[in-house]
Amino acid sequence: MSDSDSPGRRLRTGFARATLAAIFTLAALAGVGGWLALRPPSWWAPSAPDSIRADRGAAFEQALVSEFTRVRPAGSEWAIRIQASDVNDWLVARLPQWLSSRDLPQLGPAQVCLLPGVIRVGTLRGPAVVWSAAEPRALGGGVQLTAPAWGVGRLRLPWPGTDAMELVGWGQEKPIPLPDGRKVRILDLEVLDGEIRLRLRTEPG
């Protein structure tokens, strides 16, 4: 039997072929992953800054502050609707100033997407859109976020762990404090297509 037909030669040849196949497969997967990561999510369409959106963002902020700080009878309940378009106008017009006032690093363009039961938040980091998503519900007077997810572009990635929610400050399961010592308790929260509906109660400090 010639050396070319020996079991050792055939074994080495088979191993080499399997190794090359694995390398090509991994390279293809990496290429597809990179392509998906650089493609923006289907919902990504951030607003461009302009004077109209700036005015809308400022008006939304003032209206929200006015609703939360309004004097109400003790124990009375009230409700608001928050439109995704208003939040996105605020992100364009007011987020940079808000970050600067707290000495926080600036972000690229950002967008919120509201779908039934799900909140998605994305921001442009370099050439790719990094996003997070969760399903919110009212709990403990605040908000609990369940089913967390995140990804880059159209590539969904494994969630890094439960501690990550606390790290980014998501899911505050306690009432919202007001400057005068009162608290706003979230009683119910519903995410619909393009809006959030909240039922709340303002409580004394």
Side-chain angles (χ1 to χ4, degrees):
M1 182 173 61
S2 65
D3 181 66
S4 62
D5 295 329
S6 66
R9 180 63 177 269
R10 289 197 298 269
L11 182 62
R12 290 192 298 271
T13 300
F15 178 76
R17 288 175 177 171
T19 301
L20 288 174
I23 290 173
F24 285 131
T25 300
L26 290 174
L29 289 174
V32 171
W35 178 73
L36 289 173
L38 292 176
R39 289 195 69 192
S42 59
W43 50 268
W44 177 255
S47 302
D50 59 34
S51 58
I52 295 177
R53 289 189 176 90
D55 291 343
R56 288 175 179 171
F60 167 69
E61 179 179 318
Q62 294 172 2
L64 200 62
V65 170
S66 176
E67 282 296 321
F68 270 79
T69 58
R70 180 176 299 177
V71 177
R72 292 182 168 88
S76 63
E77 297 181 7
W78 50 286
I80 59 171
R81 293 183 178 184
I82 298 176
Q83 304 290 328
S85 58
D86 291 332
V87 176
N88 287 323
D89 286 340
W90 184 88
L91 290 174
V92 170
R94 304 292 293 171
L95 181 60
Q97 294 90 329
W98 187 88
L99 293 172
S100 295
S101 67
R102 290 159 177 78
D103 295 323
L104 295 173
Q106 293 292 325
L107 298 174
Q111 182 188 353
V112 166
C113 176
L114 303 178
L115 298 172
V118 180
I119 295 178
R120 291 178 179 172
V121 182
T123 182
L124 188 63
R125 305 302 297 268
V129 176
V130 179
W131 57 267
S132 299
E135 299 175 8
R137 67 186 184 103
L139 183 69
V143 177
Q144 181 191 56
L145 297 174
T146 62
W150 82 291
V152 180
R154 300 195 180 188
L155 186 64
R156 187 186 181 100
L157 299 173
W159 184 252
T162 55
D163 292 340
M165 278 293 193
E166 299 178 5
L167 183 65
V168 299
W170 279 33
Q172 301 296 323
E173 298 172 15
K174 55 186 178 182
I176 302 168
L178 298 179
D180 60 5
R182 294 179 298 160
K183 298 177 181 178
V184 174
R185 181 176 295 274
I186 299 176
L187 303 176
D188 190 34
L189 181 154
E190 184 179 13
V191 183
L192 303 174
D193 189 7
E195 72 172 18
I196 300 176
R197 296 181 182 180
L198 296 167
R199 185 165 58 86
L200 310 109
R201 182 173 66 230
T202 303
E203 301 175 344

